Amino acid sequence: MPPNKPAGTDPARTLALLWRHSLEPSPTRGPRQSLTADQVVDAAIALADEQGLDAVTVRSVAAAVGTSPMSIYTYVPGGKSELLELMIDAVYVRAERPALEKLGWRKRIMAIANQNRALYAAHPWLILASTSRPPLGPGVIAKYEYELAAFDGLGLSDIELDSALTFVLGFVAANARSAADAAALASTTTLTDEQWWERQAGILSRVVDPTKYPRATRVGQAAGAAQGGAYDAETAYRFGMERVLDGLGELVERRKNAP
């Protein structure tokens, strides 16, 4: 079986792997394994953190743990796709979850947004690994339970709770993706954003007529001066999260005032 070409991912087997620490150990036959699934997953996470998700292959993980590519399938039979699910859940298992109970609802939701943003910063590959079918392991379930608690006492229905959380996390993921794109662009050029705009200023002043594009000229100049460039992830995050919270605030008020 060639590396990264497993026979197929079995959802039931993957779920058992995700919950392996909670299940009764099954008797094994044959020689004792020299590695554990945790060691394989840890090696894959380290590779993804350092070199990106494309660097994670059965062959590269095997090299990192000092074994053969075929041996990796002993621990992760489904290959890279199954390994990715284990990686995501492992990151979520280890995430810190500070107490939220004493905070107001806006601060609770901002706290979970900030925690997710920090996860994306620490593990940028998570942005690419997000899926509409999340791995239903202990990390994902614990994260979901914890984040839903941020909405306690707001009078939302269960469907609204799920949608509200999806709304918040969707914004955070979009901001993290834009921030990663900006960082990747910055790493490929020797110019800072400020220097890049200075290089454009001379030509733009000759070709862009402020009387024809008054809003673009005025707002662009103001934003560029304030942010040091066309885009600033921190500014976009702060502004966007305030609007997300404002929008949720309107829903909360409607539920409180409902007859």
Side-chain angles (χ1 to χ4, degrees), residues 44-57 80 87 124-125 128:
I45 290 173
L47 278 170
D49 288 348
E50 294 169 8
Q51 303 176 40
L53 200 56
D54 287 343
V56 179
T57 65
K80 182 172 178 177
M87 291 164 62
W125 53 271
L128 302 175

Side-chain angles (χ1 to χ4, degrees), residues 100 108 144-153:
L100 300 174
R108 293 200 305 267
Y144 187 51
E145 175 72 18
Y146 172 76
E147 291 171 346
L148 286 172
F151 298 85
D152 280 354

Side-chain angles (χ1 to χ4, degrees), residues 168-229:
V168 172
L169 299 188
F171 168 77
V172 176
N175 177 266
R177 189 174 295 109
S178 296
D181 290 344
L185 179 62
S187 69
T188 63
T189 177
T190 57
L191 298 176
T192 65
D193 281 350
E194 291 88 346
Q195 291 169 332
W196 186 86
W197 277 105
E198 288 173 2
R199 297 283 182 91
Q200 317 301 315
I203 294 178
L204 285 174
S205 65
R206 296 198 300 270
V207 298
V208 177
D209 182 356
T211 62
K212 187 176 182 180
Y213 306 106
R215 301 173 189 81
T217 302
R218 185 187 74 251
V219 175
Q221 288 177 347
Q227 300 173 168

Side-chain angles (χ1 to χ4, degrees), residues 32-54:
R32 183 178 179 180
Q33 295 179 336
S34 59
L35 297 169
T36 65
D38 289 340
Q39 289 173 302
V40 172
V41 172
D42 288 346
I45 290 173
L47 278 170
D49 288 348
E50 294 169 8
Q51 303 176 40
L53 200 56
D54 287 343

Side-chain angles (χ1 to χ4, degrees), residues 78-171:
K80 182 172 178 177
S81 59
E82 193 166 68
L83 179 57
L84 179 57
E85 295 199 37
L86 295 172
M87 291 164 62
I88 295 169
D89 200 69
V91 167
Y92 291 161
V93 163
R94 299 163 189 170
E96 293 185 5
R97 298 186 175 91
L100 300 174
E101 291 82 1
K102 296 182 180 180
L103 302 177
W105 74 265
R106 287 179 74 104
K107 288 186 176 179
R108 293 200 305 267
I109 295 173
M110 181 62 82
I112 65 171
N114 290 342
Q115 289 158 18
N116 277 273
R117 191 177 184 223
L119 276 177
Y120 286 129
H123 309 285
W125 53 271
L126 279 173
I127 302 169
L128 302 175
S130 297
T131 173
S132 58
R133 292 182 178 179
L136 299 178
V140 167
I141 299 298
K143 181 176 183 290
Y144 187 51
E145 175 72 18
Y146 172 76
E147 291 171 346
L148 286 172
F151 298 85
D152 280 354
L154 299 187
L156 305 183
S157 70
D158 286 349
I159 300 301
E160 288 172 333
L161 286 173
D162 181 77
S163 296
L165 178 58
T166 300
F167 176 48
V168 172
L169 299 188
F171 168 77

